[in-house]
Amino acid sequence: MQIIWRDSAPAAEYEEARVGRVFNHRRPDRFPLAVVKATCQEDIIAAVKLAKAKNCRLAVRSGGHSWAAWSVRDNSILLDLGNYKQLDVDPATRTARATPSMTGRELNGVLIKEHNLMFPGGHCPDVGLGGFLLQGGMGWNCRNWGWACERVQAVDVVTAQGDVLHCNATQNRELYWAARGAGPGFPGVVSKYHLELIPYPRDGFRSSGYIYPIRLYREAFSWILQATPTSDEDTEIAVVAQYPEGMDELCLFVLFVTMKHDPAAAEAALRPLHDSRPAGAIVEWFCETDSLEKQYENQFKANPEGHRYCAENAYIRNDADVPAVLEEAFTTLPHRKAFALWYAMYPCSRRKLPDMALSMQSDHYFALYTVWEEARDDARCQGWVADVMQKVAPHAVGAYLGDSDFQVRKTKFWADDNARRLMGLRRRFDPEGRICGYLDKGDTSGVRGLAIESEVKL
């Protein structure tokens, strides 16, 4: 186990350990006492005990993809799991055991190549399993396949006291309940996930795409809203406002990705959408051969490394006039690299969820990913996000943990009963507040966790 102490390590080494794996280059002005680089479960236990001996808190980093850099906390021990990578696959039972810092690309790279299986992890290839699954996991084809955390069969947890527990539906059930949706407030450290896998489509992925000029925003968006409820159950649907590569014009990109076992089934899934499309697309393609790896490459381009980010999101009410509510967000991007996203959640959003902490959803997931290079643009880009979200707020029912910053706003992240139960479990399993938890304004949430917001306040 390597420990880099702030007061004794070379400044460059400490700085690299502090924020070198933080994806967002809008780096925080917060400084841990030390960074522990773990390579095994025993290192996690040792880090928890070190935090207890130093009478300080413990923060955890899996992939480093938190937009708000939740792992970087003042006067804490930062437990970095980046070098703790283990994967065991049982193809006969379609299950895997994976450590939290394994990314979706790493996991699926092995699963697809060696076993023709996959796990619906994060869309961005370098997102670690840890934060992604704790927040619920809005993974591939979530609208039909469900939340990724529903495929977590069990978790191995190092508690705030340094004990190791195996948690599933029959033992240590409360921690298992919390691990599927608690987010960074989970009162322990997940050391391993036990995952249910699915077959990788024999035909791979197929996709259809339609790029419209932004002046056709209303027509294209209305088409998608009408088409979604009857769309194929293996087809993911997204609408993105962006400046396409090689184009100077802001456009609306409509993407359908279907995951079938034969080309005829893929074409049958995508044909009704193609035939009902409005005229006027600048570029379009129908049922082209695709793959998970190609989708990862596209996501990597849309979320480039070495950039500054401000992300926000909301679940829009099912009965809202969605094109009207999101029009400003989709038509006034503040930077060429920024993009706005609408992601179809129906029919998953209408079914009863399993008994787990995750409990907030609607038919319409909306997110802003504002991307820029220079610090001088911070105020302008963040100000645009704040202004747009203030106008969206009256039409929202809550937000997704993964694209949120608790320092900036308060809103609902769980149903009220789930939130009360979750905060109670945090106090019960971590009464000293050893695990840093939710990074609110001033980092004061501590043992009590986030306040329960009955009314949405974006």
Side-chain angles (χ1 to χ4, degrees):
M1 179 175 73
Q2 183 184 6
I3 306 177
I4 298 104
W5 293 96
R6 181 185 182 189
D7 60 2
S8 59
E13 181 183 6
Y14 171 79
E15 186 65 5
E16 175 63 23
R18 184 182 79 95
V19 295
R21 288 208 317 116
V22 171
F23 183 79
N24 188 352
H25 273 229
R26 190 164 56 87
R27 267 47 187 287
D29 188 25
R30 301 188 294 271
F31 300 92
L33 296 173
V35 180
V36 173
K37 294 191 174 182
T39 60
C40 60
Q41 182 173 264
E42 288 71 25
D43 289 350
I44 298 175
I45 297 170
V48 171
K49 293 182 177 178
L50 177 63
K52 187 171 184 179
K54 294 293 184 180
N55 193 29
C56 67
R57 300 177 301 161
L58 183 80
V60 185
R61 176 183 296 154
S62 294
H65 220 288
S66 159
W67 304 114
W70 291 331
S71 62
V72 184
R73 311 292 274 271
D74 281 327
N75 303 315
S76 67
I77 301 294
L78 167 52
L79 173 59
D80 192 323
L81 303 177
N83 294 329
Y84 176 38
K85 291 186 185 288
Q86 294 179 6
L87 174 63
D88 299 297
V89 182
D90 184 346
T93 60
R94 293 181 181 171
T95 58
R97 298 186 301 275
T99 49
S101 68
M102 291 288 294
T103 68
R105 175 177 256 164
E106 290 170 336
L107 176 62
N108 281 315
V110 174
L111 293 178
I112 295 171
K113 182 178 180 180
E114 298 184 10
H115 307 289
N116 205 34
L117 297 169
M118 69 172 287
F119 182 76
H123 287 74
C124 292
D126 51 356
V127 168
L129 289 175
F132 172 73
L133 289 173
L134 281 177
Q135 293 152 19
M138 192 182 293
W140 292 101
N141 198 26
C142 185
R143 65 176 285 258
N144 293 300
W145 294 352
W147 294 89
C149 71
E150 296 180 62
R151 300 181 188 275
V152 174
Q153 296 181 333
V155 287
D156 295 333
V157 174
V158 177
T159 69
Q161 293 73 42
D163 301 320
V164 180
L165 299 177
H166 184 71
C167 311
N168 58 28
T170 60
Q171 60 186 115
N172 301 304
R173 293 167 58 185
E174 289 179 311
L175 284 175
Y176 176 61
W177 180 91
R180 296 177 299 159
F186 182 71
V189 182
V190 176
S191 61
K192 192 163 288 187
Y193 285 97
H194 299 248
L195 306 173
E196 172 196 346
L197 309 176
I198 60 177
Y200 185 68
R202 288 191 301 273
D203 188 47
F205 286 13
R206 296 282 180 127
S207 66
S208 293
Y210 306 88
I211 299 176
Y212 289 93
I214 204 66
R215 61 183 173 78
L216 296 179
Y217 164 82
R218 288 285 185 123
E219 291 91 332
F221 214 137
S222 296
W223 160 53
I224 295 305
L225 292 175
Q226 292 171 6
T228 293
T230 57
S231 291
D232 175 79
E233 63 182 13
D234 294 317
T235 300
E236 180 173 279
I237 301 173
V239 179
V240 184
Q242 62 177 193
Y243 287 87
E245 188 174 1
M247 297 177 63
D248 293 327
E249 181 181 359
L250 177 60
C251 295
L252 195 73
F253 175 38
V254 179
L255 177 65
F256 305 105
V257 180
T258 196
M259 303 144 197
K260 293 293 189 182
H261 291 289
D262 66 79
E267 181 169 350
L270 295 172
R271 174 60 65 184
L273 298 162
H274 184 75
D275 290 346
S276 63
R277 73 197 188 283
I282 302 171
V283 176
E284 66 178 40
W285 66 88
F286 171 69
C287 200
E288 288 193 356
T289 301
D290 209 325
S291 67
L292 182 57
E293 184 56 35
K294 287 182 181 179
Q295 286 297 314
Y296 279 148
E297 291 173 5
N298 293 338
Q299 291 287 337
F300 183 79
K301 289 178 182 178
N303 297 273
E305 293 180 334
H307 284 64
R308 305 171 80 82
Y309 286 82
C310 179
E312 276 284 14
N313 76 99
Y315 292 113
I316 308 302
R317 287 198 331 262
N318 290 348
D319 62 352
D321 182 348
V322 176
V325 170
L326 302 184
E327 186 160 8
E328 181 176 348
F330 275 71
T331 59
T332 65
L333 297 180
H335 193 283
R336 282 187 54 87
K337 294 185 178 182
F339 61 100
L341 167 74
W342 174 89
Y343 188 61
M345 297 298 293
Y346 181 95
C348 175
S349 53
R350 299 296 182 101
R351 65 180 173 84
K352 181 177 174 58
L353 290 169
D355 186 26
M356 58 186 182
L358 177 73
S359 47
M360 180 57 61
Q361 57 181 356
S362 78
D363 294 349
H364 311 288
Y365 180 69
F366 157 67
L368 294 173
Y369 301 98
T370 310
V371 190
W372 66 99
E373 297 109 328
E374 303 295 337
R376 63 174 179 266
D377 287 329
D378 284 4
R380 180 177 63 83
C381 289
Q382 291 175 266
W384 178 82
V385 171
D387 183 59
V388 167
M389 294 305 291
Q390 184 177 19
K391 296 170 184 175
V392 168
H395 311 282
V397 296
Y400 175 56
L401 288 162
D403 291 330
S404 297
D405 186 345
F406 314 128
Q407 302 165 100
V408 174
R409 62 181 172 87
K410 294 181 179 180
T411 187
K412 285 173 69 83
F413 298 103
W414 309 273
D416 290 351
D417 288 345
N418 289 53
R420 281 187 284 269
R421 180 179 176 185
L422 180 56
M423 301 315 153
L425 290 176
R426 176 164 174 77
R427 291 188 290 271
R428 175 182 165 189
F429 283 95
D430 186 14
E432 296 178 324
R434 186 71 57 207
I435 309 300
C436 281
Y438 303 106
L439 177 59
D440 60 351
K441 188 174 183 179
D443 199 0
T444 61
S445 68
V447 177
R448 75 177 186 277
L450 289 181
I452 298 170
E453 297 292 328
S454 293
E455 296 180 0
V456 176
K457 300 174 183 177
L458 282 167

